[in-house]
Amino acid sequence: MPYQVRCYIRPGVFLLLTLLQGLVYGQANDFVDIALRAGHESNVPRGVDAAHELGSGFIASEVFAGRFYQLGLHNSLTVGVGLSARRYNDLSGFDNLAAGLSGALTHKFGLGAYAPTLQLNLDYGREYYRGMARDNERLSAELRYSQRLTPAWMLELGLASEQNDNLHSLPMDPAVSAFGYDPDIALPYELFDYSSWRIYTGAEYTFANLVSLSMRYQRGNGYTVASTTEPSLKVYKVSRAFYSDPAFASDWFAYSVESNSHAVSAVVSLPLATDTGLDFTADWIQISAPAGKDYRNELFSVALSWQF
């Protein structure tokens, strides 16, 4: 995305959310969501083979503070800010801090629990890692349709688009220059300058004891940032960006490659109290890229959450 366009979009999102919050007149409720999570990720660096598929346990904390506005009978608005941190047990170079601002406008087509809803979400966030090459920002928009069919069953459909950008202009990388590749095929260094989209569908079933099971399938198209210790010419030619990976002490390179993804997720939610819950989450992700490069990743986690 051109720099001039980004200069207008980012302040525009902030201005829109601020104006909506300041101009809305109606019933407002403040809330804070806090979650503590622990889990395991099977392929943190998105390695393409067993030698590069490095897994690690992790712990994470998430805080979201927001305000909910009821805009008459059919519309509502939620705005808020979020902070999160994740720490890996075995791969500390992937530890990260994140902050973001979000807004969600929801329209309900009718009255009652079975009326369908359409929701527009706007998000802006930043992630900070060890080393400038992985620091990035994102701007995303999502349209989500959902409907409860029975007291137990609810269905959802969604479409989302995301723009990612590196936060810094990166200095020349002598390790990449040392490859001696033809300057005519020199790649940019900015690993996270790309756009992506995804579509998804899902269902949720709530049992009589209020325990719920949700499943989602997601299809995406965009780019994957992967890591390797074997920066071959074949890998270089199918990449759109290449740089020494700051997540590792040395001898690792990160590259961005166009890819398609398929993801399946499952969540079991157990209510422990009115404002406390326990979630068990599993994600299975399959990523396909050019030249037969396929990446797999599995995440399993448990989270304890509170709402105030």
Side-chain angles (χ1 to χ4, degrees):
M1 179 180 293
Y3 174 79
Q4 295 86 347
V5 175
R6 298 200 303 266
C7 286
Y8 287 103
I9 288 180
R10 293 170 194 153
V13 172
F14 281 112
L15 179 61
L16 174 61
L17 296 178
T18 302
L19 288 175
L20 286 173
Q21 182 171 353
L23 296 178
V24 168
Y25 296 94
Q27 183 179 357
N29 295 295
D30 296 327
F31 64 92
V32 177
D33 292 333
I34 299 176
L36 298 177
R37 186 180 302 273
H40 185 272
E41 186 171 354
S42 68
N43 189 4
V44 180
R46 306 298 186 267
V48 73
D49 52 33
H52 297 92
E53 292 181 359
L54 305 180
S56 175
F58 65 85
I59 56 174
S61 59
E62 304 158 9
V63 179
F64 183 84
R67 174 169 290 184
F68 172 83
Y69 295 93
Q70 186 63 49
L71 313 178
L73 293 176
H74 300 288
N75 300 305
S76 63
L77 173 70
T78 303
V79 293
V81 294
L83 296 171
S84 66
R86 179 172 293 202
R87 185 180 188 279
Y88 287 91
N89 301 340
D90 304 314
L91 296 168
S92 60
F94 289 91
D95 294 351
N96 63 83
L97 299 172
L101 173 68
S102 66
L105 183 63
T106 303
H107 176 75
K108 191 172 184 178
F109 297 91
L111 301 175
Y114 302 111
T117 63
L118 187 65
Q119 184 176 78
L120 173 65
N121 297 304
L122 295 176
D123 293 275
Y124 173 79
R126 291 188 171 193
E127 294 181 332
Y128 296 90
Y129 292 80
R130 184 177 73 186
M132 296 190 301
R134 285 186 172 270
D135 293 348
N136 69 91
E137 61 182 348
R138 73 180 186 283
L139 179 65
S140 64
E142 177 183 4
L143 194 63
R144 176 179 179 267
Y145 175 87
S146 63
Q147 183 172 10
R148 183 165 294 282
L149 304 179
T150 70
W153 283 103
M154 185 175 72
L155 300 179
E156 66 170 357
L157 296 168
L159 171 66
S161 178
E162 183 171 296
Q163 174 67 38
N164 290 73
D165 295 286
N166 273 80
L167 284 176
H168 316 285
S169 296
L170 300 175
M172 185 189 73
D173 187 344
V176 174
S177 300
F179 295 162
Y181 295 153
D182 187 340
D184 291 339
I185 63 170
L187 296 175
Y189 293 152
E190 288 72 26
L191 300 165
F192 288 90
D193 283 2
Y194 60 80
S195 60
S196 60
W197 61 264
R198 57 189 173 88
I199 56 174
Y200 62 84
T201 183
E204 179 184 281
Y205 184 85
T206 303
F207 297 88
N209 61 359
L210 300 183
V211 172
S212 65
L213 169 64
S214 60
M215 299 284 294
R216 176 185 281 190
Y217 168 76
Q218 180 173 286
R219 169 77 165 83
N221 177 267
Y223 287 82
T224 296
V225 176
S227 301
T228 183
T229 58
E230 301 173 358
S232 65
L233 181 60
K234 181 180 179 180
V235 172
Y236 194 83
K237 282 187 173 181
V238 299
S239 302
R240 68 157 303 280
F242 215 95
Y243 203 74
S244 292
D245 195 340
F248 299 93
S250 62
D251 301 325
W252 282 76
F253 295 87
Y255 59 96
S256 175
V257 61
E258 188 175 5
S259 61
N260 299 312
S261 65
H262 301 269
V264 176
S265 63
V267 181
V268 176
S269 298
L270 286 70
L272 303 181
T274 303
D275 56 2
T276 307
L278 187 66
D279 293 341
F280 298 89
T281 303
D283 296 283
W284 298 271
I285 305 167
Q286 180 73 34
I287 302 171
S288 300
K293 294 191 174 297
D294 294 330
Y295 307 83
R296 296 175 301 171
N297 196 20
E298 298 174 352
L299 293 90
F300 302 96
S301 67
V302 56
L304 184 63
S305 60
W306 300 265
Q307 185 174 84
F308 302 95

